[in-house]
Amino acid sequence: QVQLVESGGDLVQAGGSLRLSCAASRSIVTFDAMHWYRQAPGKQRELVATITSGGSTNYADSVKGRFTISRDNAKNTVYLQMNSLKPEDTAVYYCHAEAWVDYWGQGTQVTVSS
């Protein structure tokens, strides 16, 4: 069983920055891709950013140019650097590891005040 533990969520003012971390209990190079999703109250969970095992990245249009996903294979950790935060970025952010079996973290709350 793989565990994913997110951290870094916080309350921040609009325009501020946060860096989320997702620490895996096993080597992340074994995953085909790792993703960050978010879910705001009353809304469906949406894909925010993806990084593949080869290092390719992809972003939702709503966060392009503001968010950056990265990985540190030595630390088995994936990051989401979030800059120029907006109130509409408020959500619970989840880490998802894609493999033969998919794994999810418990989520970390990001709240952006206006």
Side-chain angles (χ1 to χ4, degrees):
Q1 183 71 14
V2 175
Q3 291 187 326
L4 302 176
V5 179
E6 301 100 331
S7 61
D10 205 345
L11 170 63
V12 63
Q13 288 189 333
S17 297
L18 285 174
R19 188 176 80 157
L20 305 184
S21 299
C22 170
S25 60
R26 81 172 195 211
S27 174
I28 61 174
V29 299
T30 62
F31 299 123
D32 296 326
M34 295 195 73
H35 314 273
W36 283 99
Y37 282 76
R38 68 185 180 187
Q39 187 166 19
K43 295 188 176 181
Q44 288 188 330
R45 191 171 295 190
E46 64 170 342
L47 179 60
V48 174
T50 295
I51 187 164
T52 69
S53 57
S56 298
T57 59
N58 197 27
Y59 299 92
D61 288 342
S62 59
V63 307
K64 278 181 182 176
R66 300 188 298 122
F67 290 11
T68 303
I69 188 170
S70 63
R71 59 196 292 159
D72 185 333
N73 293 337
K75 295 183 178 180
N76 295 327
T77 300
V78 175
Y79 302 99
L80 186 67
Q81 178 66 44
M82 306 186 296
N83 299 328
S84 303
L85 283 162
K86 305 175 181 180
E88 51 263 43
D89 295 319
T90 295
V92 178
Y93 284 71
Y94 297 91
C95 180
H96 171 222
E98 179 184 337
W100 185 257
V101 176
D102 288 348
Y103 301 96
W104 290 88
Q106 82 290 346
T108 185
Q109 176 71 49
V110 172
T111 304
V112 184
S113 64
S114 56

